[in-house]
Amino acid sequence: MSAPRPADTPCELCCFCFCSNKAKALRVLRARLYDGQRRAAADFVSGARRAAIGSGDRSERVRTYNFPQNRLTDHRVAVTLHALEDLAAGGAAGMAALDSIGDALAMKLRTEQLEELACEDTA
């Protein structure tokens, strides 16, 4: 008597069972297929998470808060404000400081969009 050898040809996965029970061999094959799909999904999610988080290197910083020097630096647009206490207090001066960072980010975005349009026009 030969042992059942069910195979899933799209995945090129074969399950060889040393028992004569075909149902058990199919359960083993189904478990291996499920495990492969689960690992692929987990790898995809962890890859996406790693790409979103980045390496955590200092060069990837967005903003630096230096409380002893009362300084806030936004590294995306190279804006430094010496109004960290006002920001923490939430007053009008702090809101004005946040507006200046927002304005600088909006200007950078517009500049990048205009550069992309200029590149498309020359192509």
Side-chain angles (χ1 to χ4, degrees):
M1 172 178 273
S2 65
R5 187 178 178 154
D8 184 27
T9 52
C11 294
E12 298 178 358
L13 183 67
C14 184
C15 172
F16 187 77
C17 248
F18 287 106
C19 63
S20 60
N21 190 349
K22 183 177 179 181
K24 183 176 180 182
L26 287 173
R27 280 196 307 268
V28 170
L29 178 63
R30 183 174 42 241
R32 288 182 184 173
L33 287 171
Y34 174 74
D35 187 49
Q37 289 175 346
R38 186 186 54 78
R39 283 185 187 180
D43 289 345
F44 176 77
V45 169
S46 67
R49 184 179 301 125
R50 260 186 256 112
I53 292 173
S55 66
D57 191 27
R58 289 183 78 170
S59 64
E60 292 181 351
R61 279 193 181 170
V62 174
R63 218 172 278 127
T64 301
Y65 299 92
N66 189 324
F67 287 95
Q69 295 178 2
N70 192 29
R71 179 172 46 92
L72 165 73
T73 302
D74 193 310
H75 300 284
R76 298 171 291 183
V77 289
V79 172
T80 299
L81 304 171
H82 293 279
L84 194 53
E85 289 178 0
D86 296 334
L87 279 169
M95 295 307 289
L98 279 180
D99 287 342
S100 67
I101 291 176
D103 293 342
L105 285 171
M107 181 64 79
K108 180 183 177 188
L109 178 64
R110 282 189 214 114
T111 304
E112 289 173 355
Q113 289 173 341
L114 287 172
E115 288 174 356
E116 287 177 14
L117 285 174
C119 289
E120 289 176 3
D121 289 342
T122 59

